[in-house]
Each structure stands twice: as structure tokens, then as C-alpha cells.
Amino acid sequence: MSKTDNKKHYWLDQPRNINRIVYALWLICAGLLIAEFFYHKHPHFGWDGWFGFYALFGFVAYCFIVLTAKGLRRLIRRDEDYYSDGLGSDGLGSDGLGSDGLGTDGLGDEGRHDDV
């Protein structure tokens, strides 16, 4: 890091650290799947005693939530300027006036000093 570089660097800014987290999650998932061989299950239903049932159930539930959210987004999304009432990011319309017909100083056209 040079003396002129004042930007603070965080641990997750480096792609190799993100890859480490992903690999660690894969190892944890694989370890938990292998651990199913070494303990006795007490299933309430017949299918929840199957090998890898909860891993598969979690993955299917995750996919269902993501796909449902994508469909729901299409259903309920609004235009980008839905809440802006036609005003720009500065609160003024294309004529330079707000929704009340006044400028940012509240004086209307008389109070504008464009010629200065």
C-alpha cells in the first residue's frame, strides 16, 4: 500500500478470501453429509430418515424461495420514478419548480436570481 493510497482495504475485498469462504462452506456441507453415516436418526415420517434428506430439502426450499421471489418481483415491481411525482432527484421538475409551483427557496419565479 503506497503512502498516497488512503482507501481502506477490508478482508472481503480480495477475491481469494471470498473463494476461501465458499470452499469452507463446501467442506462443512460435505462433512455434515458424511456425518449422517455415524449417528442414529429418529425419523418422524419415513422420508426424513433417508440419507441426505435434509440437505436435499434445504436446497429445494432455497430454489423455491429464489424462484418465487423472481416471479413476485415481476408482479409487484414499479417504475423507477413511481414515488417521485415527476420530480427530479433535486425535488424540482423540468421547469425548475417543485410540486407546489415554487423553487427550492419557496419564492416562486419572482425570487429566482438566474441573471446574477
Side-chain angles (χ1 to χ4, degrees), residues 9-69:
H9 295 281
Y10 296 98
W11 185 69
L12 291 175
D13 288 340
Q14 298 176 2
R16 75 165 193 241
N17 291 331
I18 294 172
N19 288 338
R20 288 178 182 170
I21 292 173
V22 170
Y23 291 138
L25 286 172
W26 276 107
L27 284 173
I28 290 170
C29 289
L32 289 172
L33 195 62
I34 290 170
E36 283 200 31
F37 286 119
F38 300 108
Y39 69 89
H40 177 68
K41 299 176 191 166
H42 301 280
H44 187 71
F45 303 103
W47 60 82
D48 57 346
W50 297 343
F51 175 76
F53 169 77
Y54 288 105
L56 181 63
F57 180 77
F59 181 73
V60 170
Y62 162 77
C63 290
F64 175 76
I65 290 170
V66 169
L67 294 175
T68 302

Side-chain angles (χ1 to χ4, degrees), residues 12 14 18 22-23 34 43 71 77 87 89 94-95 98 102 109:
L12 291 175
Q14 298 176 2
I18 294 172
V22 170
Y23 291 138
I34 290 170
R77 81 172 159 202
L87 303 177
S89 61
S94 60
D95 57 357
L102 302 175
D109 288 333

